[in-house]
Amino acid sequence: MKGGRFGGSVCEQVLRHNGRLRASSGGGFGVRRIHDIPATPELRDYITYARLLKSPIKKLAQSILATGVDVVMDFPANTISQREWFRQIYSEIGAPHSLFYLEVSDDVFLRQIAKRRLEQPNRLKTDTAEMFEAVTKFFVAPSFEEGLNVIKTI
């Protein structure tokens, strides 16, 4: 096991847990140093559009949180820089938060990827063991120093 990853089906835990901003990264692949990964056209597109969406998503989440409504986000949080974006969302407006961290083996994630490929054929090119290996090598477990309210699940 390389350590935990963010992702999976944590909706029940997210909905039961206290706090207003919650995050998981159910199935998205997180990448910190894009230039080190041999990108497929699909991965390049994902990276390009994810970058373009960060600012409007941040503003929208903050606007919703400011009204007192909970926000549940499903995004890649595999690296320190990805989690820093999440931290900025809640810290800039003083909102409580939770970050769900799944500590399971690579085999569990690979089984989930295989299942998703069957259920969602449009993910056949991107949800592969090769893609998983290419992007998870950049995974960094969350640390106390990041200042996140991490909820570890097994």
Side-chain angles (χ1 to χ4, degrees):
M1 187 168 97
K2 294 178 185 164
R5 303 290 192 294
F6 292 91
S9 300
V10 294
C11 286
E12 303 84 31
Q13 294 174 32
V14 169
L15 295 174
R16 284 194 315 252
H17 200 346
N18 293 330
R20 290 198 0 222
L21 180 61
R22 302 172 185 118
S24 73
S25 69
F29 293 113
V31 181
R32 183 173 181 199
R33 294 176 17 216
I34 304 308
H35 61 275
D36 289 341
I37 298 174
T40 65
E42 295 82 8
L43 181 56
R44 257 184 299 214
D45 289 345
Y46 169 80
I47 293 164
T48 298
Y49 292 115
R51 284 184 179 154
L52 290 173
L53 289 171
K54 276 189 169 186
S55 179
I57 289 172
K58 178 182 174 184
K59 290 175 187 173
L60 177 61
Q62 288 176 329
S63 295
I64 294 168
L65 288 166
T67 69
V69 175
D70 288 359
V71 174
V72 178
M73 299 180 70
D74 183 0
F75 73 97
N78 296 331
T79 68
I80 294 168
S81 63
Q82 290 170 326
R83 292 188 297 272
E84 173 59 21
W85 175 73
F86 173 68
R87 191 196 61 73
Q88 290 171 4
I89 293 171
Y90 71 82
S91 66
E92 288 176 5
I93 62 167
H97 72 283
S98 299
L99 184 70
F100 289 82
Y101 172 56
L102 300 181
E103 191 167 34
V104 298
S105 71
D106 288 354
D107 289 338
V108 170
F109 281 99
L110 290 169
R111 282 195 302 272
Q112 286 298 109
I113 289 169
K115 181 180 175 189
R116 243 191 346 251
R117 290 181 70 189
L118 293 174
E119 295 169 351
Q120 301 172 40
N122 59 315
R123 297 178 82 148
L124 285 172
K125 291 182 182 179
T126 57
D127 288 13
T128 64
E130 294 78 20
M131 181 71 79
F132 175 81
E133 289 300 321
V135 297
T136 59
K137 66 183 174 185
F138 296 101
F139 173 78
V140 177
S143 68
F144 176 78
E145 292 78 21
E146 290 179 77
L148 299 166
N149 179 23
V150 177
I151 299 161
K152 191 183 289 190
T153 61
I154 300 173

